Amino acid sequence: MSCSFPPELTDEQMMAVLDGESSPDIRQHLTHCVHCRTRFENLYQFEVLLRHKLRRRDCPASTALRDYALALLPQPERELIAGHVDQCPRCRAEIEELHDFLRAEAPVPAPASLRAPRRPRPNEIYPRMYQGSPVLAMRGGAGSETLLLETDGVMIFLEAQPEPGGATLMGRLLAPDLAAWSNALVEVKQADGAQTAGIVDESGLFNCRLKSTASISLWVTSQAGITLVIDDIQFET
Amino acid sequence: MIYNERQKEKSMDMREFPLDELSRRCAEETKNFLRHVPHDTEYCYELFRRALAEKDSEALDQIYLNYLPQMRRWVSNHSRFPISGEIDEYFAHHAFQQFFFALLGEKFNNFPNLSSVLAYLKSCVHTTVTQYVRDNRIPPLLLDDMDIPVISDLNADIEAEWLWKHICNLLIDANDQLLAQCVFVLEMRPREVAKQYPRIWVDAHQVSVRLHQIRRTLAKDPRLRNRLNGDSEDS
């Protein structure tokens, strides 16, 4: 195979495309010439992989930059990040964006209706229903129902207690390291989109008020950032 | 001084308020704020204090109810949100989780008023979106119909460290290492590099010429090529 529009493009001309500094005729050439395009795609692939692996490898996390920008860091850490920011245009831009964002008060339309998540997210784990569950009236009074779920040694009991105007979702976490789940954040989304939240106490207990028990989703997030996700919980009561 | 004493007294009174009443007043004052009429921030601040400093689950629920919709609006308004490919609810949840753990218990005392609490809440939205975009950036497709290379993120930190050490071994010159850092780590364009380091490179053209040489050196190295293609046996 040879160049369709000789002379064939030089490496320098192709690298200018990678740097976003090429002229339209070079791009036109690459669009229509299979020979030059194949060479360019090899260069592009190498460049993309390299940049992906190295991108901002020594930049502080966005949370650290935020705490630096809001003067919430202790002195040694602050100095360390100041030294980096001084040299790094990307981090300086990120801090500038934060300040702009905090100043902005532009009204925006209300969010669109909820859509399903596109894919599983990192640090999310999905407990499964324990064999034989639901366990009816395991610990509750008449009319209550208990579900039992488990994953990697963490067990979750969920019970919906009907009450006027809705129900109370009561939960209990059992784990070898229960302290890791103490003060975990509990978030519940109900079928109508209403959301509610609670906190796991030191005994692993939590409760949240529900409008109804029809199809709820539950997230429990530990301080370490691990989230237990239970979708589409169905109580029969 | 008198003002401070009054404020203190008011705060003490507010701690006696029933939660329902506090939530109602917070919602009212929030409406006043949005209408740009005089408003009192103490009710909402007390609600946050109970939820976070006292770890009161019901107060947290009220905060969640009142502020999650606002957080979703902030997400929608963030300049990087459209390129994230995610949904606003995802970022709002993560931002709330970040905020919750950052202010829980005694840490709440670092935030003396409602405006500092809300600024932090909003800043959590920013960091959640920004970090996500940083971690999941899709490479620009420079031409139509190009395929994005398949990229594995397994052991990403170790991989980056090995790659960078290896690149420094291949590029002996300190200026070449600096240029590689600017382009491959910080994704700067030649003109940005020339602007930042005018004493080393006089203009973008000089940067480009040197950069072409660096790319040739790196592309010729078989270990680097193998490593980028996912072969880690020579680590």
Side-chain angles (χ1 to χ4, degrees):
Chain A
M1 194 195 308
S2 60
C3 177
S4 309
F5 313 101
E8 67 178 71
L9 295 179
T10 64
D11 284 352
E12 282 72 14
Q13 287 171 314
M14 292 191 189
M15 287 184 201
V17 179
L18 292 178
D19 292 329
E21 298 187 344
S22 62
S23 57
D25 54 323
I26 303 280
R27 298 170 65 83
Q28 189 77 359
H29 187 131
L30 283 172
T31 303
H32 298 291
C33 170
V34 177
H35 171 73
C36 291
R37 185 175 172 118
T38 306
R39 284 175 52 223
F40 175 75
E41 287 191 347
N42 285 336
L43 282 177
Y44 172 78
Q45 171 125 349
F46 184 81
E47 184 87 4
V48 165
L49 290 173
L50 195 58
R51 288 187 188 210
H52 180 83
K53 300 280 183 189
L54 294 174
R55 183 190 317 129
R56 301 189 68 181
R57 55 180 283 276
D58 48 6
C59 290
S62 293
T63 48
L65 284 178
R66 182 262 324 275
D67 289 350
Y68 166 77
L70 299 180
L72 294 169
L73 288 180
Q75 190 62 17
E77 210 177 326
R78 183 174 169 73
E79 279 175 16
L80 202 67
I81 292 185
H84 175 88
V85 168
D86 193 42
Q87 296 297 316
C88 179
R90 293 291 169 261
C91 287
R92 283 201 302 274
E94 208 174 299
I95 289 172
E96 210 168 292
E97 274 177 29
L98 168 66
H99 289 307
D100 288 345
F101 182 63
L102 290 179
R103 278 192 295 264
E105 273 305 334
V108 291
S113 58
L114 304 182
R115 286 169 285 166
R118 292 186 310 126
R119 55 180 174 268
R121 280 66 180 247
N123 298 327
E124 286 187 350
I125 47 181
Y126 295 79
R128 293 182 181 282
M129 204 71 85
Y130 199 67
Q131 336 148 326
S133 201
V135 185
L136 290 175
M138 196 164 169
R139 65 169 186 166
S144 71
E145 175 189 358
T146 302
L147 302 180
L148 172 58
L149 300 102
E150 72 93 30
T151 183
D152 296 336
V154 180
M155 299 183 92
I156 306 154
F157 293 87
L158 295 174
E159 181 177 317
Q161 188 76 56
E163 60 183 41
T168 298
L169 176 70
M170 294 186 288
R172 175 163 205 168
L173 284 174
L174 288 178
D177 183 12
L178 192 57
W181 293 95
S182 171
N183 291 327
L185 173 66
V186 179
E187 297 165 278
V188 178
K189 190 166 95 186
Q190 300 171 61
D192 64 352
Q195 308 206 24
T196 177
I199 305 174
V200 177
D201 72 12
E202 288 167 1
S203 321
L205 295 168
F206 61 89
N207 61 65
C208 296
R209 274 186 287 191
L210 303 175
K211 284 184 185 168
S212 88
T213 55
S215 185
I216 58 173
S217 297
L218 175 76
W219 296 268
V220 184
T221 305
S222 72
Q223 296 217 39
I226 305 295
T227 303
L228 304 173
V229 182
I230 309 168
D231 278 326
D232 197 23
I233 303 167
Q234 302 277 357
F235 288 100
E236 287 174 8
T237 46
Chain B
M1 185 65 181
I2 293 169
Y3 174 78
N4 285 343
E5 284 301 316
R6 280 190 188 151
Q7 285 293 99
K8 201 173 165 185
E9 269 173 32
K10 191 176 167 191
S11 297
M12 294 303 289
D13 288 347
M14 220 164 271
R15 291 183 185 204
E16 307 298 322
F17 262 56
L19 185 64
D20 288 350
E21 176 66 5
L22 198 59
S23 301
R24 192 186 61 76
R25 297 242 187 149
C26 171
E28 259 175 29
E29 296 299 336
T30 303
K31 277 183 197 160
N32 288 339
F33 167 74
L34 294 172
R35 284 192 212 114
H36 300 284
V37 297
H39 58 280
D40 190 335
T41 60
E42 290 295 315
Y43 300 102
C44 293
Y45 182 71
E46 171 60 12
L47 202 54
F48 274 106
R49 194 197 63 76
R50 285 192 201 177
L52 298 162
E54 291 185 5
K55 303 178 187 175
D56 180 325
S57 211
E58 288 183 29
L60 183 78
D61 191 29
Q62 291 301 319
I63 293 293
Y64 200 74
L65 193 69
N66 287 351
Y67 289 94
L68 203 66
Q70 175 63 48
M71 292 178 76
R72 291 181 62 197
R73 283 192 286 271
W74 283 334
V75 171
S76 304
N77 207 27
H78 194 281
S79 60
R80 289 177 187 265
F81 172 61
I83 57 167
S84 70
E86 258 297 349
I87 56 173
D88 56 359
E89 189 190 21
Y90 170 74
F91 289 121
H93 277 288
H94 275 259
F96 192 84
Q97 289 163 6
Q98 205 179 91
F99 169 80
F100 172 77
F101 290 116
L103 273 72
L104 194 65
E106 289 180 1
K107 288 174 279 185
F108 185 81
N109 298 331
N110 296 328
F111 298 84
N113 50 43
L114 184 67
S115 83
S116 64
V117 172
L118 292 182
Y120 199 81
L121 184 64
K122 195 174 180 185
S123 77
C124 289
V125 167
H126 169 80
T127 55
T128 307
V129 177
T130 306
Q131 188 68 49
Y132 183 92
V133 171
R134 212 204 264 191
D135 292 343
N136 296 280
R137 188 172 164 275
I138 296 165
L141 291 179
L142 301 171
L143 301 170
D144 294 339
D145 305 327
M146 286 188 78
D147 291 328
I148 300 172
V150 177
I151 299 168
S152 158
D153 271 333
L154 282 177
N155 303 318
D157 292 345
I158 302 168
E159 193 78 346
E161 199 180 326
W162 184 92
L163 282 174
W164 184 246
K165 268 189 195 163
H166 190 67
I167 287 169
C168 289
N169 287 336
L170 294 172
L171 307 173
I172 313 288
D173 187 87
N175 286 345
D176 285 352
Q177 290 178 12
L178 176 63
L179 186 49
Q181 162 90 5
C182 289
V183 174
F184 303 124
V185 178
L186 298 177
E187 300 190 311
M188 292 166 74
R189 288 182 169 200
R191 67 187 63 177
E192 287 180 284
V193 177
K195 193 176 169 192
Q196 172 124 346
Y197 298 101
R199 289 184 185 173
I200 304 177
W201 298 285
V202 289
D203 57 23
H205 177 70
Q206 204 179 69
V207 172
S208 294
V209 169
R210 195 63 219 154
L211 185 55
H212 296 165
Q213 196 55 48
I214 288 172
R215 280 183 174 129
R216 277 200 192 95
T217 305
L218 299 183
K220 265 193 278 179
D221 184 69
R223 290 183 77 196
L224 187 59
R225 277 206 314 269
N226 288 343
R227 197 63 179 238
L228 287 176
N229 289 325
D231 176 4
S232 59
E233 64 190 34
D234 59 353
S235 58

